[in-house]
């Protein structure tokens, strides 16, 4: 089976301020984006500990001081830069990163779509 890369428009750039995160479901894939130090990063919304969504409240993916991504279920903390768990039951495991880009004041996520042969 091969793959096709499809860029999906998520939102306007100006609606995601520094330190904000936002969740989406695109083609049945739950994901979230974060603006951190001016850049936008994207990860699948699935904790490597139990494969459950990370957030307890909508669009709340960061811990209180906004220094780490946090899983609301058992409190695992992940670095924003690369999704590595540095504290919690899935220590040293990582979130799955996704391709994201900003172009013409819009944020796009690129998700690999399987193509049936
Ligand atoms: S499900 Fe995320 S830390 Fe347990």
């Amino acid at each position: 089976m091969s793959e096709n890369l499809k860029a999906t428009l998520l939102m306007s750039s100006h609606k995601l301020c520094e330190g904000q995160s936002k969740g989406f479901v695109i083609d049945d894939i739950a994901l979230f984006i974060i603006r951190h130090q001016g850049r936008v990063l994207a990860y699948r919304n699935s904790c490597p500990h139990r494969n459950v969504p990370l957030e307890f409240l909508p669009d709340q993916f960061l811990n209180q001081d906004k220094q780490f991504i946090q899983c609301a279920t058992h409190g695992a903390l992940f670095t924003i830069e690369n999704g590595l768990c540095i504290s919690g039951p899935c220590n040293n495991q990582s979130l799955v990163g996704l391709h994201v880009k900003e172009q013409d004041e819009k944020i796009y996520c690129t998700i690999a779509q399987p193509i049936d042969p």
Side-chain angles (χ1 to χ4, degrees), residues 85-106:
C85 180
I86 50 96
S87 170
C90 44
N91 205 14
N92 282 325
Q93 292 181 267
S94 294
L95 301 173
V96 176
L98 297 170
H99 265 279
V100 68
K101 68 173 181 179
E102 286 191 276
Q103 192 173 342
D104 300 329
E105 288 297 307
K106 293 183 172 59

Side-chain angles (χ1 to χ4, degrees), residues 1-2 7 12-14 23 29 36 39 44 50-51 54 57 66 68 75 83 86 88 92 104 110 112 115:
M1 197 181 321
S2 60
S12 297
S13 290
H14 74 273
I29 296 174
H36 177 68
R39 291 174 55 215
R44 285 202 184 206
R50 293 270 169 87
N51 296 318
L54 294 158
L57 295 170
K66 297 184 184 270
F68 295 97
I86 50 96
N92 282 325
D104 300 329
T110 305
I115 300 175

Side-chain angles (χ1 to χ4, degrees), residues 47-54 71-78 87-90:
C47 181
H49 181 217
R50 293 270 169 87
N51 296 318
V52 297
L54 294 158
C71 177
T73 303
H74 305 115
L77 296 175
F78 304 85
S87 170
C90 44

Side-chain angles (χ1 to χ4, degrees), residues 27-65:
D27 295 336
D28 293 330
I29 296 174
L31 61 101
F32 64 99
I33 59 175
I34 298 172
R35 188 177 295 282
H36 177 68
Q37 296 179 348
R39 291 174 55 215
V40 181
L41 299 110
Y43 295 99
R44 285 202 184 206
N45 183 7
S46 179
C47 181
H49 181 217
R50 293 270 169 87
N51 296 318
V52 297
L54 294 158
E55 82 280 33
F56 175 62
L57 295 170
D59 302 326
Q60 302 297 312
F61 293 92
L62 299 177
N63 67 339
Q64 204 163 12
D65 63 7

